[in-house]
């Protein structure tokens, strides 16, 4: 996220590594890279400084959590596949792994204690360098970020859809390195709390903001020569008079920290514009708060290209401001934001109004997974803690409550899940199954999501004791061990694509059996005869209709019901395309549920190597 296309520009100019994902996690998986002034991306004017002792390091908490998880995940993969480190490739290829290894390599299967270890290493090194650390966390409020939020939600929904495809069909993304799983699959829902609790145990000063932490970080750092913002967001290059360090541009040397420090004026100089024109550049390129405003057509100026757009700004008169009747308020907000002016006059929305919640609290994902959670779960937790129940007893009560509240067709937690969690908490890891022979069942994946949600509510309860608040999530749940226990209770299976009837648990059967939906009359049904006639007599037929009229779901069924246009053809074959994987999967499920007689005639093939 951040200002569009700026990161790619900085990579080309050598300010940041050309491949941030690989640069952040090198082949040794070290959290801190050795300082080396000869690195190629330091040769283009960006200063590399030794951060003075007692300097203030102001850290974007959300960015830190994701960065630490990335490092921990890389180390986890190295421990799973130590032989890969001896080859030229840092991580093994997906095609080279056995099914048992693939499941273990999923990001959500990584034990959270590895994330705790990386977090402690991070804080201890900063403390060794005698730096004053503050971590800022996003609050529930937002301004003008609906579009960005929706994009993030779609990405996360795709991650869960990918996990469902793997669970049900063994489908995997077409990637070379297993480390790319981090882009395609969800990470543990408790990872953010894991980082926060570890930082709290390490006595790191943490600030919980009312809205996004970015602007508060920038305000505290602005104009202070001994304050540095540490994060992973190109927006920080546009805030007025701050010193910004990206996570992939920080290095260690003995007991000191060296870093490439970026400033707005330095980037403006690189682009050949004035410092105050940087806000106009962010507006023309687009950012998290506003879509890009079109640049007037001019030879040599390309929309979305920072260099040519900057040259366009350079040619304008002093004081030039971008204008747009459609985005007047947003333009004023972006200018006020990046120049650190007061923002009280701009509307402030609660996260619950626009779908922005922390990963462990995300209602949109809950809806996407078709999971129902009782609204009074928080009250139940408070009551249990007031009664003096232990942490484990409180979790068990929550799980039982959720199981009872969602019994019947909508049941997510079954008796097998409650028993598995009870066994997880009572047995040592050495007594658990060591590996999964097949992907985890989708029903069990959904159950594990509910368990994480319950644990999250408990750990954040204001009525929780100090002992509860300091309890690490890693001691309360492990995805891999949970699925191993469930798998050990089931008979061996020869294939996850077509398991024997008696080896499928009741919850899995509910997942496999599509729910039949009553077939409603749609507007397009009245035009069936003319549609079939046009298709039969023309090479191309274009159908225009309102959203929801039945174009995607009914026309294919009409073609199946109609006689073949060529008597010599035994059956009709056709493709139906959708712009996103989520839409494709939803369409197949809808047609199968509404047209039971054609249920087995519809298959699905995803893009990017998915089937």
């Amino acid at each position: 996220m951040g200002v569009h296309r700026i990161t790619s520009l900085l990579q080309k100019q050598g300010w940041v590594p050309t491949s941030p994902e690989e640069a952040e996690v090198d082949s040794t998986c070290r959290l801190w890279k050795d300082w080396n002034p000869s690195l190629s991306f330091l040769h283009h004017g960006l200063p590399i400084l030794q951060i003075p002792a007692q300097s203030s390091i102001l850290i974007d908490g959300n960015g830190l959590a994701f960065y630490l998880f990335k490092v921990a995940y890389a180390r986890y993969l190295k421990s799973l596949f130590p032989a890969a480190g001896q080859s030229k490739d840092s991580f093994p290829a997906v095609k080279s792994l056995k099914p048992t290894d693939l499941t273990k390599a999923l990001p959500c299967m990584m034990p959270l204690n590895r994330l705790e270890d990386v977090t402690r290493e991070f804080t201890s090194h900063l403390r060794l360098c005698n730096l004053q650390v503050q971590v800022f966390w996003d609050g529930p409020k937002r301004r003008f970020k609906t579009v960005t939020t929706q994009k993030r939600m779609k990405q996360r929904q795709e991650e869960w859809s990918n996990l469902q495809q793997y669970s049900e069909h063994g489908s995997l993304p077409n990637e070379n390195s297993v480390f790319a799983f981090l882009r395609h699959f969800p990470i543990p829902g408790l990872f953010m709390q894991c980082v926060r609790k570890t930082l709290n145990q390490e006595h790191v000063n943490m600030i919980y903001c009312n809205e996004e932490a970015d602007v508060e970080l920038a305000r505290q750092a602005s104009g202070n020569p001994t304050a540095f913002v540490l994060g992973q967001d190109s927006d920080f290059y546009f805030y007025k008079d701050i010193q910004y360090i990206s996570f992939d541009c920080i290095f260690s040397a003995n007991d000191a920290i060296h870093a490439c420090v970026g400033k707005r004026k330095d980037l403006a100089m690189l682009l050949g514009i004035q410092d105050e024109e940087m806000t106009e550049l962010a507006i023309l390129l687009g950012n998290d708060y506003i879509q890009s405003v079109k640049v007037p057509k001019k030879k040599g100026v390309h929309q979305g290209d920072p260099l040519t757009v900057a040259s366009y700004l350079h040619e304008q008169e002093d004081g030039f401001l971008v204008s747009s009747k459609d985005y007047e308020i947003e333009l004023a907000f972006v200018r006020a934001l990046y120049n650190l002016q007061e923002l009280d006059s701009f509307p402030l929305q609660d996260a619950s109004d626009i779908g922005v919640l922390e990963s462990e609290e995300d209602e949109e994902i809950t809806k996407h997974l078709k999971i129902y959670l009782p609204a009074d779960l928080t009250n139940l937790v408070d009551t249990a803690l007031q009664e003096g129940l232990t942490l484990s007893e409180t979790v068990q009560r929550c799980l039982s409550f959720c199981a009872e509240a969602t019994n019947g067709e909508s049941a997510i937690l079954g008796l097998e899940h409650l028993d598995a969690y009870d066994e997880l908490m009572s047995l040592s890891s050495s007594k658990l199954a060591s590996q999964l022979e097949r992907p985890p069942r989708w029903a069990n994946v959904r159950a594990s999501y509910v368990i994480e949600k319950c644990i999250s509510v408990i750990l954040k309860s204001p009525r929780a004791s100090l002992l509860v608040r300091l309890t690490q999530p890693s001691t309360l749940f492990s995805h891999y061990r949970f699925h191993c226990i469930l798998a050990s209770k089931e008979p061996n299976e020869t294939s996850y694509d077509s398991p024997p009837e008696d080896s499928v648990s009741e919850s899995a059967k509910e997942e496999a059996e599509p729910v039949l939906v009553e077939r409603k009359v749609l507007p397009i049904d009245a035009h069936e005869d003319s549609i079939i006639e046009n298709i039969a007599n023309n090479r191309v037929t274009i159908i225009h209709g309102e959203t929801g009229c039945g174009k995607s779901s009914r026309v294919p069924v009409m073609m199946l019901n109609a006689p073949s246009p060529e008597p010599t053809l035994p059956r009709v074959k056709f493709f139906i395309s959708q712009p996103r994987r989520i839409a494709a999967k939803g369409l197949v499920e809808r047609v199968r549920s509404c047209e039971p007689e054609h249920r087995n005639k519809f298959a699905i093939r995803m893009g990017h190597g998915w089937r």
Side-chain angles (χ1 to χ4, degrees), residues 7 12-13 49 64 69 72 79 89 106 117 140 163 171 177 222 273 278 283 326 377 384 406 430 447 495 497 555 583:
T7 299
K12 292 177 181 178
Q13 296 298 318
L49 305 175
L64 174 65
F69 187 90
S79 69
D89 298 319
L106 293 173
D117 293 341
L163 182 55
S171 303
S177 170
S222 181
I273 59 178
M278 288 292 288
I283 289 170
D326 297 329
L377 183 60
T406 59
S430 60
S495 170
D497 286 322
V555 172

Side-chain angles (χ1 to χ4, degrees), residues 167-404:
S167 296
E168 295 180 339
H169 309 294
S171 303
L172 286 170
N174 186 20
E175 292 282 358
N176 291 327
S177 170
V178 69
F179 188 67
F181 278 9
L182 200 56
R183 295 199 303 267
H184 294 283
F185 293 107
I187 60 181
L190 293 169
F191 91 102
M192 194 77 74
Q193 282 203 6
C194 180
V195 173
R196 288 180 177 177
K197 287 184 176 295
T198 305
L199 292 174
N200 191 40
Q201 290 176 351
E202 294 296 307
H203 306 291
V204 174
N205 184 20
M206 294 192 288
I207 297 174
Y208 295 88
C209 303
N210 184 45
E211 50 186 297
E212 272 201 306
D214 296 17
V215 65
E216 186 62 31
L217 280 163
R219 290 187 191 281
Q220 297 231 10
S222 181
N224 185 348
T226 62
F228 301 84
V229 173
L230 181 58
Q232 196 73 56
D233 192 333
S234 60
D235 273 332
F236 288 119
Y237 287 107
F238 289 80
Y239 282 105
K240 181 180 179 181
D241 199 18
I242 74 166
Q243 301 181 101
Y244 170 57
I245 303 171
S246 175
F247 283 118
D248 47 23
C249 292
I250 188 167
F251 310 89
S252 65
N254 298 323
D255 58 351
I257 291 292
H258 291 72
C260 305
V261 180
K263 301 177 183 179
R264 187 168 86 171
K265 64 179 182 180
D266 295 332
L267 182 55
M269 185 179 300
L270 175 70
L271 295 170
I273 59 178
Q274 300 297 317
D275 179 83
E276 56 270 16
E277 292 177 317
M278 288 292 288
T279 55
E280 305 308 304
L281 178 66
I283 289 170
L284 290 173
L285 293 176
N287 50 68
D288 290 348
Y289 308 95
I290 185 174
Q291 297 295 316
S292 60
V293 176
K294 289 187 176 181
V295 181
K297 291 184 178 180
K298 186 177 180 181
K299 185 177 180 180
V301 177
H302 306 288
Q303 186 77 40
D305 177 18
L307 289 174
T308 60
V309 173
S311 67
Y312 164 78
L313 285 173
H314 180 71
E315 296 173 357
Q316 307 307 309
E317 296 181 357
D318 292 344
F320 169 77
L321 296 177
V322 178
S323 62
S324 172
K325 294 181 180 179
D326 297 329
Y327 300 110
E328 289 182 358
I329 298 178
E330 289 86 349
L331 294 181
F333 171 74
V334 170
R335 293 186 181 111
L337 176 77
Y338 289 141
N339 290 314
L340 300 178
Q341 299 169 354
E342 288 299 324
L343 302 176
D344 293 342
S345 60
F346 299 99
L348 190 63
Q349 294 176 287
D350 191 271
S352 59
D353 297 332
I354 56 176
V356 186
L357 291 171
E358 293 179 350
S359 58
E360 64 267 29
E361 300 176 330
D362 202 333
E363 294 181 2
E364 291 300 319
I365 294 300
T366 303
K367 294 176 183 177
H368 177 69
L369 297 179
K370 299 179 182 178
I371 289 175
Y372 167 77
L373 290 172
D376 49 352
L377 183 60
T378 301
N379 294 333
L380 176 76
V381 169
D382 292 343
T383 301
L385 293 174
Q386 280 183 311
E387 292 176 2
L389 267 63
T390 65
L391 194 54
S392 178
E393 291 171 339
T394 304
V395 174
Q396 288 283 12
R397 177 178 289 190
C398 287
L399 297 184
S400 299
F401 180 69
C402 289
E404 294 171 1

Side-chain angles (χ1 to χ4, degrees), residues 75-177:
R75 294 182 179 182
Y76 172 62
L77 293 181
K78 285 291 186 181
S79 69
L80 292 180
F81 315 111
Q86 302 172 10
S87 65
K88 64 178 181 179
D89 298 319
S90 299
F91 302 99
V94 174
K95 295 181 179 179
S96 68
L97 300 181
K98 299 181 294 185
T100 52
D101 293 331
L102 289 170
T103 297
K104 194 176 290 187
L106 293 173
C108 63
M109 297 296 179
M110 186 192 81
L112 286 176
N113 62 331
R114 291 185 174 272
L115 181 57
E116 296 167 13
D117 293 341
V118 171
T119 306
R120 292 190 184 95
E121 181 183 336
F122 177 86
T123 56
S124 64
H125 196 89
L126 291 178
R127 191 176 293 117
L128 177 66
C129 298
N130 201 17
L131 299 171
Q132 305 300 314
V133 179
Q134 287 184 304
V135 179
F136 292 70
W137 297 97
D138 289 343
K141 307 291 184 179
R142 295 291 185 274
R143 302 180 199 264
F144 298 107
K145 294 207 74 171
T146 304
V147 175
T148 300
T149 297
Q150 291 172 349
K151 288 181 180 178
R152 287 173 176 166
M153 287 309 308
K154 287 180 181 178
Q155 179 182 349
R156 294 192 56 218
Q157 288 171 355
E158 282 202 5
E159 292 170 357
W160 281 98
S161 293
N162 294 344
L163 182 55
Q164 182 176 2
Q165 288 295 312
Y166 176 64
S167 296
E168 295 180 339
H169 309 294
S171 303
L172 286 170
N174 186 20
E175 292 282 358
N176 291 327
S177 170

Side-chain angles (χ1 to χ4, degrees), residues 391-610:
L391 194 54
S392 178
E393 291 171 339
T394 304
V395 174
Q396 288 283 12
R397 177 178 289 190
C398 287
L399 297 184
S400 299
F401 180 69
C402 289
E404 294 171 1
T406 59
N407 57 13
E409 292 185 357
S410 61
I412 302 299
L413 287 176
L415 181 61
E416 69 272 25
H417 301 124
L418 300 181
D419 291 342
Y421 184 78
D422 185 50
E423 186 173 342
L424 174 68
M425 298 302 295
S426 60
L427 292 179
S428 64
S429 58
S430 60
K431 297 181 181 180
L432 296 174
S434 59
Q435 61 183 7
L436 288 173
E437 298 296 333
R438 49 149 286 154
R441 294 194 182 281
W442 180 238
N444 297 340
V445 172
R446 296 170 72 211
S448 65
Y449 179 87
V450 175
I451 293 173
E452 280 194 311
K453 291 280 288 184
C454 290
I455 293 173
S456 176
V457 172
I458 294 170
L459 293 179
K460 292 187 299 184
S461 172
R463 298 189 182 279
S465 65
L466 178 62
L467 178 62
V468 171
R469 290 198 298 270
L470 292 178
T471 301
Q472 280 289 1
S474 61
T475 64
L476 298 174
F477 191 62
S478 165
H479 279 272
Y480 190 75
R481 295 171 65 193
F482 177 72
H483 289 294
C484 282
I485 293 173
L486 288 168
S488 68
K489 308 297 183 183
E490 300 174 353
N492 292 332
E493 299 174 358
T494 57
S495 170
Y496 49 77
D497 286 322
S498 55
E501 179 66 20
D502 59 357
S503 69
V504 183
S505 65
E506 291 301 317
S507 58
K509 287 180 180 179
E510 292 179 10
E511 284 294 307
E513 290 293 333
V515 179
L516 299 183
V517 179
E518 182 181 357
R519 192 181 195 274
K520 298 180 180 179
V521 177
L522 297 179
I524 203 169
D525 292 338
H527 306 279
E528 181 173 357
D529 292 340
S530 61
I531 288 174
I532 294 301
E533 181 180 355
N534 272 278
I535 292 175
N537 297 325
N538 297 278
R539 293 186 62 189
V540 178
T541 299
I542 299 176
I543 302 174
H544 176 74
E546 295 291 336
T547 301
C549 71
K551 300 185 297 297
S552 299
S553 60
R554 289 296 164 82
V555 172
V557 177
M558 293 176 186
M559 294 170 64
L560 286 175
N561 291 333
S564 175
E566 289 289 339
T568 58
L569 295 177
R571 59 177 178 170
V572 176
K573 294 182 180 180
F574 49 83
F575 290 96
I576 307 164
S577 65
Q578 291 291 312
R580 296 185 305 276
R581 289 190 288 246
I582 295 174
K585 184 175 180 298
L587 176 61
V588 169
E589 291 178 347
R590 187 164 67 253
V591 174
R592 285 174 176 170
S593 63
C594 294
E595 310 288 344
E597 69 275 17
H598 297 303
R599 182 184 305 160
N600 297 327
K601 297 179 182 179
F602 287 92
I604 185 171
R605 177 170 180 167
M606 301 292 194
H608 306 290
W610 291 83

